Amino acid sequence: MQLITRDSANRQRLAELDDLLQPVEIPTSASAYLDKIHFTRLSERFKGAFDLARLFLLGQSVHLLAGAQQAWAFVLDMNQLFEAFVTSLLQSNRIRIIPPQWKETVIETQGGRVPKYLARPNYSNAKPFSQIKPDILIKRGSTPFLIIDAKNKVLSHQPVYASIAEDDLYQMVAYATRLRCPNVLLLYPRAKNTNVIPFFLDVELSPIRIYVATLNLHQPLDKLDGIIGEFRDILGYVHRHMNMTEETLWRAD
């Protein structure tokens, strides 16, 4: 797995796991050995993990048949996975993805190193609350000029903008207002057999412009040229339509 993954954090974790598991030997007759393991009331809570590991060790899979049966699941948070994929794709292929006009920019993730909050109570010595963590900030110096947020949701309705959850729009307006950044990109995985052309929404009575685009994940991801090209085209579209007004739009901190 260390040879497959491109993510440096994953390689580090896999290397650490490899070191931890070096002393472990898998018996040649693993099935017979595993059959001897029994669980008590004290160890019963580990049985689910044990049964899942057994499937991996024996190269088995769950067969769904009629009637009641017990199975074990390995669940991933697809929202976090899509966000991490988009972030890693941009960071690892920055030169190939960002427009040439942005070559001097800085890319920050999860809102940057300094925590940022949405609101502050009007009490004496009250601390701000409701931390905001946009997936990606693209900045010139210390000022963000584009917020990118990845959403693992399907845009399926026609017109496409009707698929966008209102909560996501409210969230993007909050990000843009707090960070004084009028340009926001909402990035979604593309539904199979669809083709969503990038578009933008102008927020009423506001300089905020919300771009909407999709990435096609229905392609071999071990060869990234196609999806890198798509991401580059999306950011090129954003650059051409970007709201770069020089008016004083936001109150200073």
Side-chain angles (χ1 to χ4, degrees):
M1 291 298 292
Q2 285 178 260
L3 300 178
I4 296 175
T5 180
R6 293 181 171 86
D7 187 275
S8 58
N10 283 342
R11 284 200 296 269
Q12 178 65 30
R13 294 188 189 101
L14 288 168
E16 292 172 357
L17 287 172
D18 191 45
D19 289 340
L20 288 172
L21 295 174
Q22 280 296 334
V24 178
E25 295 183 8
I26 300 176
T28 53
S29 56
S31 180
Y33 178 80
L34 294 172
D35 288 339
K36 297 177 182 178
I37 298 175
H38 301 283
F39 292 86
T40 66
R41 285 189 302 170
L42 294 177
S43 59
E44 184 69 23
R45 67 184 187 278
F46 300 113
K47 190 173 187 305
F50 172 85
D51 289 334
L52 184 60
R54 182 189 183 109
L55 287 179
F56 293 152
L57 287 172
L58 301 182
Q60 297 176 343
S61 60
V62 176
H63 297 281
L64 300 179
L65 304 173
Q69 56 182 312
Q70 186 176 13
W72 308 272
F74 181 70
V75 181
L76 296 173
D77 186 324
M78 294 306 296
N79 289 309
Q80 291 185 8
L81 183 61
F82 182 58
E83 292 169 8
F85 173 76
V86 170
T87 301
S88 177
L89 181 67
L90 179 58
Q91 290 179 319
S92 302
N93 301 277
R94 171 198 172 101
I95 295 176
R96 299 178 61 189
I97 292 176
I98 65 171
Q101 299 86 344
W102 299 4
K103 64 180 181 179
E104 302 299 329
T105 57
V106 175
I107 297 174
E108 289 188 352
T109 61
Q110 293 298 304
R113 288 173 289 183
V114 179
K116 300 175 182 65
Y117 299 89
L118 187 60
R120 181 191 297 270
N122 66 334
Y123 308 134
S124 177
N125 299 321
K127 294 182 179 180
F129 69 101
S130 190
Q131 185 175 359
I132 61 172
K133 292 184 177 182
D135 297 333
I136 299 169
L137 295 177
I138 300 183
K139 306 171 70 174
R140 285 193 178 94
S142 60
T143 304
F145 69 92
L146 178 64
I147 299 167
I148 302 177
D149 215 63
K151 301 291 185 187
N152 186 51
K153 300 177 182 179
V154 176
L155 299 181
S156 56
H157 300 307
Q158 293 295 333
V160 176
Y161 61 78
S163 299
I164 303 172
E166 288 190 358
D167 287 350
D168 292 342
L169 291 178
Y170 297 150
Q171 182 186 28
M172 295 307 104
V173 171
Y175 283 176
T177 302
R178 172 60 184 87
L179 297 171
R180 302 198 300 278
C181 175
N183 300 290
V184 182
L185 170 61
L186 274 173
L187 199 56
Y188 297 87
R190 186 175 307 159
K192 197 170 185 179
N193 300 321
T194 64
N195 184 24
V196 177
I197 298 173
F199 63 95
F200 60 81
L201 307 169
D202 282 330
V203 177
E204 291 285 293
L205 303 177
S206 165
I208 298 170
R209 179 166 287 177
I210 300 175
Y211 301 85
V212 180
T214 61
L215 283 174
N216 179 21
L217 303 183
H218 302 281
Q219 56 183 301
L221 296 181
D222 57 338
K223 298 177 181 178
L224 295 175
D225 289 349
I227 200 164
I228 286 173
E230 285 186 26
F231 208 164
R232 180 174 60 245
D233 291 344
I234 290 169
L235 294 189
Y237 173 85
V238 171
H239 175 74
R240 292 191 300 274
H241 297 86
M242 185 167 280
N243 187 346
M244 295 297 288
T245 178
E246 296 181 357
E247 297 177 16
T248 302
L249 303 170
W250 318 102
R251 189 178 70 181
D253 286 333

